[in-house]
Short mmCIF file of all heavy atoms in Angstrom, two decimals:
data_model
loop_
_atom_site.label_atom_id
_atom_site.label_comp_id
_atom_site.label_asym_id
_atom_site.label_seq_id
_atom_site.Cartn_x
_atom_site.Cartn_y
_atom_site.Cartn_z
N GLU A 1 -6.39 -3.52 -10.12
CA GLU A 1 -7.36 -2.61 -10.76
C GLU A 1 -8.02 -1.72 -9.72
O GLU A 1 -8.28 -0.56 -9.94
CB GLU A 1 -8.36 -3.41 -11.53
CG GLU A 1 -7.80 -4.08 -12.77
CD GLU A 1 -8.77 -5.02 -13.45
OE1 GLU A 1 -9.81 -5.37 -12.77
OE2 GLU A 1 -8.51 -5.42 -14.58
N ARG A 2 -8.28 -2.29 -8.53
CA ARG A 2 -8.89 -1.46 -7.47
C ARG A 2 -7.92 -0.38 -6.98
O ARG A 2 -8.33 0.70 -6.60
CB ARG A 2 -9.34 -2.35 -6.32
CG ARG A 2 -10.58 -3.19 -6.66
CD ARG A 2 -11.28 -3.71 -5.41
NE ARG A 2 -10.50 -4.80 -4.77
CZ ARG A 2 -10.65 -6.08 -5.10
NH1 ARG A 2 -11.48 -6.42 -6.09
NH2 ARG A 2 -9.94 -7.00 -4.50
N ILE A 3 -6.63 -0.73 -7.00
CA ILE A 3 -5.63 0.30 -6.63
C ILE A 3 -5.68 1.44 -7.59
O ILE A 3 -5.59 2.63 -7.24
CB ILE A 3 -4.25 -0.37 -6.54
CG1 ILE A 3 -4.13 -1.18 -5.27
CG2 ILE A 3 -3.13 0.72 -6.54
CD1 ILE A 3 -2.80 -1.92 -5.14
N MET A 4 -5.73 1.12 -8.89
CA MET A 4 -5.75 2.19 -9.89
C MET A 4 -7.05 3.02 -9.77
O MET A 4 -6.98 4.24 -10.00
CB MET A 4 -5.68 1.56 -11.32
CG MET A 4 -4.39 0.79 -11.56
SD MET A 4 -2.88 1.71 -11.10
CE MET A 4 -3.04 3.15 -12.18
N ASP A 5 -8.14 2.38 -9.39
CA ASP A 5 -9.35 3.15 -9.19
C ASP A 5 -9.21 4.18 -8.05
O ASP A 5 -9.68 5.30 -8.13
CB ASP A 5 -10.51 2.20 -8.83
CG ASP A 5 -10.95 1.37 -10.03
OD1 ASP A 5 -10.67 1.77 -11.16
OD2 ASP A 5 -11.58 0.30 -9.82
N VAL A 6 -8.47 3.77 -7.00
CA VAL A 6 -8.25 4.67 -5.88
C VAL A 6 -7.46 5.92 -6.30
O VAL A 6 -7.66 7.00 -5.77
CB VAL A 6 -7.50 3.91 -4.76
CG1 VAL A 6 -6.97 4.87 -3.71
CG2 VAL A 6 -8.42 2.89 -4.10
N LEU A 7 -6.58 5.75 -7.29
CA LEU A 7 -5.73 6.85 -7.69
C LEU A 7 -6.29 7.72 -8.80
O LEU A 7 -5.69 8.70 -9.18
CB LEU A 7 -4.34 6.28 -8.13
CG LEU A 7 -3.53 5.52 -7.11
CD1 LEU A 7 -2.23 5.02 -7.70
CD2 LEU A 7 -3.24 6.44 -5.90
N ARG A 8 -7.44 7.33 -9.30
CA ARG A 8 -8.01 8.10 -10.43
C ARG A 8 -8.53 9.48 -10.00
O ARG A 8 -8.59 10.41 -10.81
CB ARG A 8 -9.13 7.29 -11.10
CG ARG A 8 -8.55 6.15 -11.97
CD ARG A 8 -9.59 5.56 -12.94
NE ARG A 8 -8.90 4.62 -13.81
CZ ARG A 8 -8.88 3.29 -13.56
NH1 ARG A 8 -9.49 2.82 -12.49
NH2 ARG A 8 -8.28 2.50 -14.38
N GLU A 9 -8.96 9.59 -8.76
CA GLU A 9 -9.48 10.88 -8.30
C GLU A 9 -8.31 11.84 -8.03
O GLU A 9 -7.31 11.49 -7.39
CB GLU A 9 -10.26 10.69 -7.01
CG GLU A 9 -10.90 12.00 -6.50
CD GLU A 9 -11.68 11.77 -5.22
OE1 GLU A 9 -11.94 10.62 -4.89
OE2 GLU A 9 -12.02 12.80 -4.58
N PRO A 10 -8.36 13.08 -8.59
CA PRO A 10 -7.22 14.03 -8.44
C PRO A 10 -6.98 14.33 -6.95
O PRO A 10 -7.86 14.28 -6.11
CB PRO A 10 -7.69 15.29 -9.18
CG PRO A 10 -8.77 14.81 -10.11
CD PRO A 10 -9.42 13.63 -9.40
N VAL A 11 -5.71 14.68 -6.67
CA VAL A 11 -5.34 15.10 -5.31
C VAL A 11 -5.38 16.61 -5.28
O VAL A 11 -4.75 17.29 -6.09
CB VAL A 11 -3.92 14.58 -4.98
CG1 VAL A 11 -3.48 15.16 -3.62
CG2 VAL A 11 -3.92 13.03 -4.94
N LEU A 12 -6.11 17.19 -4.30
CA LEU A 12 -6.23 18.64 -4.19
C LEU A 12 -5.17 19.17 -3.24
O LEU A 12 -5.21 18.89 -2.03
CB LEU A 12 -7.66 18.98 -3.70
CG LEU A 12 -8.08 20.44 -3.87
CD1 LEU A 12 -8.17 20.80 -5.34
CD2 LEU A 12 -9.41 20.65 -3.17
N LEU A 13 -4.23 19.94 -3.75
CA LEU A 13 -3.14 20.52 -2.95
C LEU A 13 -3.13 22.03 -3.19
O LEU A 13 -2.92 22.51 -4.31
CB LEU A 13 -1.77 19.92 -3.33
CG LEU A 13 -1.60 18.44 -3.06
CD1 LEU A 13 -0.25 17.98 -3.56
CD2 LEU A 13 -1.70 18.14 -1.57
N ASP A 14 -3.37 22.79 -2.08
CA ASP A 14 -3.42 24.27 -2.17
C ASP A 14 -4.42 24.73 -3.21
O ASP A 14 -4.16 25.68 -3.99
CB ASP A 14 -2.03 24.83 -2.48
CG ASP A 14 -1.03 24.54 -1.37
OD1 ASP A 14 -1.44 24.32 -0.21
OD2 ASP A 14 0.16 24.41 -1.68
N GLY A 15 -5.56 24.03 -3.31
CA GLY A 15 -6.58 24.40 -4.28
C GLY A 15 -6.33 23.93 -5.71
O GLY A 15 -7.12 24.15 -6.61
N LEU A 16 -5.18 23.28 -5.94
CA LEU A 16 -4.84 22.89 -7.29
C LEU A 16 -5.04 21.36 -7.42
O LEU A 16 -4.42 20.57 -6.69
CB LEU A 16 -3.36 23.22 -7.57
CG LEU A 16 -2.82 22.78 -8.98
CD1 LEU A 16 -3.53 23.61 -10.07
CD2 LEU A 16 -1.31 22.98 -9.02
N PRO A 17 -5.95 20.92 -8.32
CA PRO A 17 -6.15 19.49 -8.47
C PRO A 17 -5.01 18.88 -9.28
O PRO A 17 -4.69 19.35 -10.38
CB PRO A 17 -7.46 19.38 -9.23
CG PRO A 17 -7.60 20.70 -9.95
CD PRO A 17 -6.85 21.72 -9.15
N ILE A 18 -4.40 17.83 -8.72
CA ILE A 18 -3.29 17.18 -9.38
C ILE A 18 -3.69 15.74 -9.72
O ILE A 18 -4.07 14.98 -8.83
CB ILE A 18 -2.01 17.15 -8.49
CG1 ILE A 18 -1.57 18.60 -8.18
CG2 ILE A 18 -0.88 16.39 -9.17
CD1 ILE A 18 -0.41 18.67 -7.24
N ASP A 19 -3.67 15.44 -11.01
CA ASP A 19 -4.05 14.10 -11.42
C ASP A 19 -2.94 13.12 -11.06
O ASP A 19 -1.75 13.36 -11.30
CB ASP A 19 -4.25 14.06 -12.96
CG ASP A 19 -5.54 14.76 -13.35
OD1 ASP A 19 -6.55 14.62 -12.63
OD2 ASP A 19 -5.52 15.49 -14.37
N VAL A 20 -3.35 12.03 -10.46
CA VAL A 20 -2.43 10.98 -10.04
C VAL A 20 -2.69 9.75 -10.85
O VAL A 20 -3.75 9.13 -10.73
CB VAL A 20 -2.57 10.66 -8.52
CG1 VAL A 20 -1.52 9.64 -8.14
CG2 VAL A 20 -2.38 11.92 -7.69
N GLY A 21 -1.76 9.40 -11.70
CA GLY A 21 -1.87 8.18 -12.44
C GLY A 21 -0.62 7.30 -12.14
O GLY A 21 0.24 7.71 -11.38
N GLY A 22 -0.60 6.13 -12.74
CA GLY A 22 0.58 5.32 -12.49
C GLY A 22 0.47 4.02 -13.28
O GLY A 22 -0.51 3.75 -14.00
N SER A 23 1.51 3.22 -13.14
CA SER A 23 1.56 1.91 -13.75
C SER A 23 1.81 0.89 -12.67
O SER A 23 2.62 1.11 -11.76
CB SER A 23 2.65 1.86 -14.81
OG SER A 23 2.46 2.83 -15.81
N VAL A 24 1.09 -0.26 -12.76
CA VAL A 24 1.22 -1.30 -11.75
C VAL A 24 1.71 -2.58 -12.43
O VAL A 24 1.17 -2.99 -13.44
CB VAL A 24 -0.11 -1.58 -11.05
CG1 VAL A 24 0.02 -2.75 -10.08
CG2 VAL A 24 -0.61 -0.32 -10.31
N GLY A 25 2.75 -3.16 -11.82
CA GLY A 25 3.23 -4.46 -12.28
C GLY A 25 2.86 -5.52 -11.21
O GLY A 25 3.00 -5.25 -9.98
N VAL A 26 2.39 -6.66 -11.62
CA VAL A 26 1.91 -7.68 -10.73
C VAL A 26 2.77 -8.95 -10.86
O VAL A 26 2.96 -9.45 -11.97
CB VAL A 26 0.42 -8.02 -11.00
CG1 VAL A 26 -0.07 -9.08 -10.00
CG2 VAL A 26 -0.44 -6.79 -10.93
#
């Protein structure tokens, strides 16, 4: 869950915010 929290903030590339989501299997 902490990993998913880290990825919730968008990544800013060339001024364009890109949402990063994903699925985690444990």
Side-chain angles (χ1 to χ4, degrees):
E1 289 172 347
R2 286 198 287 273
I3 286 177
M4 298 311 300
D5 289 339
V6 167
L7 297 180
R8 285 195 174 94
E9 184 180 346
V11 174
L12 195 64
L13 295 176
D14 297 333
L16 179 67
I18 299 175
D19 288 320
V20 182
S23 301
V24 177
V26 181

